[in-house]
Amino acid sequence: MRPLRDLSLRSVLLELTSTSGPEKVARATAARPPSPFTYRRLREELEAHGAPVDLVAAARRAEIEELERLGGVTARGDALPWKAPQHEVRHLVVVAVETAEGCVAASYEAALLLAAGDEDAELACRRADLAYRALLWAWPNLAVGEQRVVAAAVARAVDRLGRGAPLLDALARRLYAPLAAAMAA
């Protein structure tokens, strides 16, 4: 198994989808779809917790892409005025749990869309990659007990989607097993 830093989410997804039969996309998209508010909050919280600039920028791009998808940006790409809910910056473990849950669903959806040759596959891969990169960045910044909480959130998210589907099981083994191994080390 490759170390965490060497994993390319898109390459893993392509590899897995080339060996797994297609499964129903509806299972992956049953979770609440992301919104510009989700990405704005992620961006603000990543920034507040000291995440790397490129990760914060990726969250900002996702926010703008989501606004564009919903018809909320100008031709120049400037976000139209919209009011995001006010919120406090949450503890990093809370952000990591939410990100882990979203990452599982986004990774599964991206893999299914890639397997189906869907036109939204690239966007789904970018969303999954953002969540995965945020999770990998947060992981070493968490205490061991907090890492266990995040690992349990990943297991619950996999179970919610229906453990036993070949592609989902392969994703869980390839993408999230390294987190558990890192925790055990």
Side-chain angles (χ1 to χ4, degrees):
M1 187 173 301
R2 292 177 278 183
L4 290 176
R5 66 188 164 280
D6 294 337
L7 282 176
S8 162
L9 181 65
R10 189 174 191 291
S11 66
V12 169
L13 294 175
L14 284 170
E15 180 183 324
L16 291 174
T17 57
S18 68
T19 60
S20 300
E23 299 176 37
K24 294 182 181 174
V25 175
R27 283 175 56 192
T29 57
R32 193 189 81 200
S35 75
F37 300 117
T38 301
Y39 296 115
R40 176 174 280 185
R41 184 171 195 168
L42 178 61
R43 175 180 54 85
E44 290 172 351
E45 289 179 327
L46 287 172
E47 197 167 40
H49 287 293
V53 173
D54 65 320
L55 188 55
V56 173
R60 174 66 179 147
R61 278 190 303 278
E63 176 188 352
I64 290 172
E65 285 176 347
E66 192 61 21
L67 279 168
E68 182 179 59
R69 190 178 73 75
L70 297 172
V73 294
T74 66
R76 288 191 353 218
D78 299 325
L80 293 173
W82 59 286
K83 185 170 173 78
Q86 297 297 313
H87 59 270
E88 298 285 323
V89 173
R90 300 170 296 172
H91 191 283
L92 185 57
V93 70
V94 176
V95 176
V97 164
E98 185 174 278
T99 301
E101 292 169 345
C103 187
V104 170
S107 299
Y108 188 51
E109 177 184 14
L112 294 174
L113 292 172
L114 276 170
D118 192 284
E119 65 185 35
D120 291 331
E122 288 303 316
L123 179 63
C125 282
R126 284 195 303 275
R127 296 294 184 270
D129 185 63
L130 170 60
Y132 193 64
R133 287 176 46 215
L135 182 58
L136 291 181
W137 170 79
W139 188 260
N141 296 302
L142 299 171
V144 172
E146 294 169 333
Q147 289 176 345
R148 286 190 176 105
V149 169
V150 173
V154 167
R156 283 191 310 274
V158 169
D159 286 341
R160 270 196 301 277
L161 287 173
R163 195 178 294 274
L167 180 57
L168 184 59
D169 286 345
L171 277 172
R173 281 192 311 276
R174 292 292 300 279
L175 297 178
Y176 304 108
L179 295 180
M183 185 179 71

